PDB file of all heavy atoms in Angstrom:
ATOM      1  N   LYS A 112      99.237 151.131  95.432  1.00 89.00           N
ATOM      2  CA  LYS A 112      98.952 152.334  96.274  1.00 89.00           C
ATOM      3  C   LYS A 112      99.687 152.090  97.629  1.00 89.00           C
ATOM      4  O   LYS A 112     100.323 151.122  97.838  1.00 89.00           O
ATOM      5  CB  LYS A 112      97.402 152.452  96.548  1.00 89.00           C
ATOM      6  CG  LYS A 112      96.612 152.594  95.316  1.00 89.00           C
ATOM      7  CD  LYS A 112      95.095 152.573  95.637  1.00 89.00           C
ATOM      8  CE  LYS A 112      94.264 152.595  94.399  1.00 89.00           C
ATOM      9  NZ  LYS A 112      93.185 151.667  94.417  1.00 89.00           N
ATOM     10  N   THR A 113      99.581 153.148  98.410  1.00 90.00           N
ATOM     11  CA  THR A 113     100.460 153.129  99.723  1.00 90.00           C
ATOM     12  C   THR A 113      99.531 152.972 100.870  1.00 90.00           C
ATOM     13  O   THR A 113     100.087 152.974 102.079  1.00 90.00           O
ATOM     14  CB  THR A 113     101.220 154.499  99.857  1.00 90.00           C
ATOM     15  OG1 THR A 113     100.320 155.528  99.817  1.00 90.00           O
ATOM     16  CG2 THR A 113     102.324 154.533  98.840  1.00 90.00           C
ATOM     17  N   ASP A 114      98.267 152.780 100.765  1.00 93.00           N
ATOM     18  CA  ASP A 114      97.393 152.530 101.934  1.00 93.00           C
ATOM     19  C   ASP A 114      97.671 151.126 102.475  1.00 93.00           C
ATOM     20  O   ASP A 114      98.196 150.255 101.757  1.00 93.00           O
ATOM     21  CB  ASP A 114      95.945 152.726 101.639  1.00 93.00           C
ATOM     22  CG  ASP A 114      95.413 151.819 100.567  1.00 93.00           C
ATOM     23  OD1 ASP A 114      95.783 151.956  99.309  1.00 93.00           O
ATOM     24  OD2 ASP A 114      94.747 150.890 100.917  1.00 93.00           O
ATOM     25  N   TYR A 115      97.285 150.852 103.760  1.00 94.00           N
ATOM     26  CA  TYR A 115      97.528 149.606 104.389  1.00 94.00           C
ATOM     27  C   TYR A 115      97.047 148.447 103.529  1.00 94.00           C
ATOM     28  O   TYR A 115      97.788 147.396 103.368  1.00 94.00           O
ATOM     29  CB  TYR A 115      96.882 149.540 105.774  1.00 94.00           C
ATOM     30  CG  TYR A 115      97.017 148.280 106.466  1.00 94.00           C
ATOM     31  CD1 TYR A 115      98.150 147.828 107.077  1.00 94.00           C
ATOM     32  CD2 TYR A 115      95.881 147.407 106.496  1.00 94.00           C
ATOM     33  CE1 TYR A 115      98.276 146.531 107.698  1.00 94.00           C
ATOM     34  CE2 TYR A 115      95.916 146.208 107.025  1.00 94.00           C
ATOM     35  CZ  TYR A 115      97.169 145.779 107.595  1.00 94.00           C
ATOM     36  OH  TYR A 115      97.263 144.538 108.259  1.00 94.00           O
ATOM     37  N   LEU A 116      95.758 148.442 103.201  1.00 94.00           N
ATOM     38  CA  LEU A 116      95.216 147.238 102.479  1.00 94.00           C
ATOM     39  C   LEU A 116      95.976 147.029 101.176  1.00 94.00           C
ATOM     40  O   LEU A 116      96.173 145.811 100.860  1.00 94.00           O
ATOM     41  CB  LEU A 116      93.702 147.462 102.197  1.00 94.00           C
ATOM     42  CG  LEU A 116      92.791 147.293 103.377  1.00 94.00           C
ATOM     43  CD1 LEU A 116      91.329 147.568 103.036  1.00 94.00           C
ATOM     44  CD2 LEU A 116      92.941 145.986 104.016  1.00 94.00           C
ATOM     45  N   SER A 117      96.250 147.994 100.390  1.00 93.00           N
ATOM     46  CA  SER A 117      97.081 147.841  99.159  1.00 93.00           C
ATOM     47  C   SER A 117      98.426 147.199  99.313  1.00 93.00           C
ATOM     48  O   SER A 117      98.790 146.231  98.679  1.00 93.00           O
ATOM     49  CB  SER A 117      97.214 149.092  98.315  1.00 93.00           C
ATOM     50  OG  SER A 117      95.918 149.572  97.990  1.00 93.00           O
ATOM     51  N   VAL A 118      99.083 147.614 100.328  1.00 94.00           N
ATOM     52  CA  VAL A 118     100.475 147.080 100.690  1.00 94.00           C
ATOM     53  C   VAL A 118     100.239 145.649 101.149  1.00 94.00           C
ATOM     54  O   VAL A 118     100.999 144.735 100.777  1.00 94.00           O
ATOM     55  CB  VAL A 118     101.100 147.968 101.834  1.00 94.00           C
ATOM     56  CG1 VAL A 118     102.459 147.291 102.279  1.00 94.00           C
ATOM     57  CG2 VAL A 118     101.449 149.306 101.310  1.00 94.00           C
ATOM     58  N   ARG A 119      99.293 145.360 101.948  1.00 95.00           N
ATOM     59  CA  ARG A 119      99.049 144.003 102.505  1.00 95.00           C
ATOM     60  C   ARG A 119      98.637 143.106 101.322  1.00 95.00           C
ATOM     61  O   ARG A 119      99.230 141.975 101.189  1.00 95.00           O
ATOM     62  CB  ARG A 119      97.938 143.888 103.511  1.00 95.00           C
ATOM     63  CG  ARG A 119      97.719 142.574 104.136  1.00 95.00           C
ATOM     64  CD  ARG A 119      96.425 142.383 104.669  1.00 95.00           C
ATOM     65  NE  ARG A 119      95.368 142.448 103.600  1.00 95.00           N
ATOM     66  CZ  ARG A 119      94.020 142.442 103.853  1.00 95.00           C
ATOM     67  NH1 ARG A 119      93.558 142.387 105.092  1.00 95.00           N
ATOM     68  NH2 ARG A 119      93.245 142.548 102.811  1.00 95.00           N
ATOM     69  N   ASN A 120      97.766 143.535 100.469  1.00 94.00           N
ATOM     70  CA  ASN A 120      97.291 142.695  99.344  1.00 94.00           C
ATOM     71  C   ASN A 120      98.456 142.424  98.345  1.00 94.00           C
ATOM     72  O   ASN A 120      98.542 141.335  97.846  1.00 94.00           O
ATOM     73  CB  ASN A 120      96.140 143.293  98.658  1.00 94.00           C
ATOM     74  CG  ASN A 120      94.890 143.349  99.580  1.00 94.00           C
ATOM     75  OD1 ASN A 120      94.895 142.563 100.561  1.00 94.00           O
ATOM     76  ND2 ASN A 120      93.854 144.082  99.202  1.00 94.00           N
ATOM     77  N   LYS A 121      99.262 143.362  98.094  1.00 94.00           N
ATOM     78  CA  LYS A 121     100.379 143.212  97.265  1.00 94.00           C
ATOM     79  C   LYS A 121     101.378 142.220  97.806  1.00 94.00           C
ATOM     80  O   LYS A 121     101.856 141.336  97.119  1.00 94.00           O
ATOM     81  CB  LYS A 121     101.151 144.585  97.031  1.00 94.00           C
ATOM     82  CG  LYS A 121     102.297 144.479  96.108  1.00 94.00           C
ATOM     83  CD  LYS A 121     102.856 145.810  95.799  1.00 94.00           C
ATOM     84  CE  LYS A 121     103.943 145.721  94.700  1.00 94.00           C
ATOM     85  NZ  LYS A 121     104.413 147.091  94.286  1.00 94.00           N
TER      86      LYS A 121
END
Side-chain angles (χ1 to χ4, degrees):
K112 298 177 189 138
T113 55
D114 62 287
Y115 172 77
L116 284 178
S117 293
V118 172
R119 185 205 62 186
N120 292 345
K121 183 174 185 174

